[in-house]
């Protein structure tokens, strides 16, 4: 084969490869609007909410790139996630935990086998509020939580009337409410609290209690109607984790 023919063949193969990549549908990532930085930087202007950054955003871009697809983020209020699970229209949702979903939800979703990371939730309060070491100390107290989120340790106490909920749209808003004394305590992830304190001087007065509310492994889930096989998603995730891409992303928000 002559040089001209070889070059033409190479260009043809490259064109076919580019065409195949362009034809690949996007990776549709479901994101709840209840998330806040460092997990999600969501614009809340007069128009449609948009994901602008954060751990979920950066991880979604990395996962899509590994799969040779474009990332498309679908923002959804927490209260509508259950309906979206049944209706489909997305491929994955990351940084979730099976305990946050009901047995009925498992008919619509399946979980990637390896966790992404672990988060610890703790109680945050104003100085002078008694530090909580045992669950019984919360009896009769008001506890700030995110609307639509599940708290396996505290939900039975809320339902029995032993605790009173103070609801916020997301953890960022919850911290601001806590700094104003709207609740005795608020449940915040350690990662979220550390980020917020570093970026908002108003929150540096808040203190944490020794009681650990939860220690939770976070996974990605796949919507069963997605055209992307679970094995392909799991392989892409494994490659990114092995390369240290998630740790690299987390360092940006610490």
């Amino acid at each position: 084969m002559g040089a001209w023919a070889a070059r033409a063949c190479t260009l043809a193969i490259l064109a076919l490869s580019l065409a195949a990549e362009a034809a690949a549908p996007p990776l549709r990532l479901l994101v709840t609007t209840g998330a806040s930085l460092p997990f999600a930087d969501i614009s809340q202007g007069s128009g449609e909410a948009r994901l602008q950054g954060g751990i979920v955003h950066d991880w979604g871009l990395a996962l899509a790139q590994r799969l040779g697809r474009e990332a498309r983020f679908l923002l959804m209020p927490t209260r509508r996630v259950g309906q979206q699970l049944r209706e489909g229209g997305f491929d994955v949702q990351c940084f979730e935990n099976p305990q946050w979903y009901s047995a009925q939800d498992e008919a619509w979703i399946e979980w990637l086998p390896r966790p992404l990371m672990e988060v610890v939730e703790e109680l945050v309060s104003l100085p002078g509020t008694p530090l909580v070491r045992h669950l019984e100390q919360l009896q009769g107290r008001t506890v700030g939580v995110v609307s639509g989120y599940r708290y396996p340790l505290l939900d039975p106490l809320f339902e029995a009337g032993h605790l009173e909920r103070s609801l916020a749209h997301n953890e960022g808003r919850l911290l601001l409410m806590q700094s104003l004394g709207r609740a005795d305590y608020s449940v915040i992830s350690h990662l979220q609290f550390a980020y917020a304190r570093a970026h908002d001087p108003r929150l540096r007065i808040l203190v944490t209690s020794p009681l650990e509310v939860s220690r939770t492994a976070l996974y990605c889930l796949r919507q069963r109607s997605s055209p992307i096989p679970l094995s392909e998603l799991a392989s892409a995730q494994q490659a990114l984790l092995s390369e240290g891409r998630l740790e690299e992303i987390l360092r940006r928000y610490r």
Side-chain angles (χ1 to χ4, degrees):
M1 180 184 295
W4 182 90
R7 183 169 181 271
C9 182
T10 300
L11 289 174
I13 292 172
L14 178 60
L16 288 172
S17 175
L18 291 173
E21 183 175 338
L27 176 68
R28 302 164 299 172
L29 299 111
L30 185 65
V31 181
T32 62
T33 55
S36 57
L37 280 167
F39 280 100
D41 181 8
I42 299 174
S43 65
Q44 297 288 356
S46 56
E48 186 176 345
R50 186 169 61 90
L51 184 63
Q52 303 177 124
I55 296 168
V56 173
H57 172 271
D58 295 359
W59 174 256
L61 291 181
L63 185 60
Q65 182 181 38
R66 173 64 63 172
L67 293 166
R69 298 169 183 264
E70 176 191 357
R72 180 176 298 171
F73 298 100
L74 308 174
L75 272 66
M76 183 71 54
T78 304
R79 67 181 183 277
R80 291 182 53 197
V81 168
Q83 176 184 346
Q84 195 66 40
L85 295 180
R86 295 186 294 274
E87 294 179 354
F90 72 98
D91 300 302
V92 296
Q93 184 179 13
C94 290
F95 301 95
E96 300 292 312
N97 182 273
Q99 291 184 356
W100 302 343
Y101 294 80
S102 68
Q104 289 79 9
D105 293 332
E106 298 299 325
W108 314 103
I109 60 176
E110 56 185 345
W111 296 88
L112 275 66
R114 181 176 173 182
L116 295 169
M117 60 183 290
E118 187 178 64
V119 292
V120 175
E121 286 186 316
E122 51 197 4
L123 292 168
V124 174
S125 62
L126 286 168
T129 307
L131 297 181
V132 178
R133 291 177 170 81
H134 307 286
L135 200 58
E136 294 77 14
Q137 292 176 257
L138 288 175
Q139 179 80 22
R141 297 286 191 168
T142 299
V143 179
V145 293
V146 177
S147 178
Y149 280 22
R150 294 182 180 179
Y151 300 87
L153 183 68
L154 301 181
D155 283 345
L157 301 178
F158 286 130
E159 292 162 9
H162 298 315
L163 305 179
E164 182 180 347
R165 284 187 180 93
S166 177
L167 297 174
H169 177 67
N170 58 41
E171 285 192 317
R173 180 64 179 166
L174 190 59
L175 279 169
L176 288 176
M177 290 172 59
Q178 183 61 58
S179 69
L180 296 173
R182 303 283 178 83
D184 296 311
Y185 304 92
S186 290
V187 181
I188 305 290
S189 72
H190 178 78
L191 179 62
Q192 194 104 26
F193 185 48
Y195 179 90
R197 287 189 62 180
H199 290 81
D200 191 339
R202 295 173 296 175
L203 304 178
R204 292 173 189 167
I205 63 171
L206 298 177
V207 295
T208 58
S209 284
L211 178 69
E212 188 176 285
V213 176
S214 71
R215 183 175 291 270
T216 307
L218 301 182
Y219 296 78
C220 287
L221 64 83
R222 171 187 176 271
Q223 220 289 333
R224 291 185 185 273
S225 65
S226 169
I228 307 175
L230 180 68
S231 58
E232 186 176 340
L233 289 168
S235 177
Q237 174 181 286
Q238 178 62 44
L240 291 172
L241 292 175
S242 298
E243 293 170 3
R245 291 292 298 279
L246 181 56
E247 278 302 316
E248 176 187 323
I249 291 169
L250 292 175
R251 282 195 295 271
R252 301 172 194 166
Y253 298 96
R254 284 176 175 155

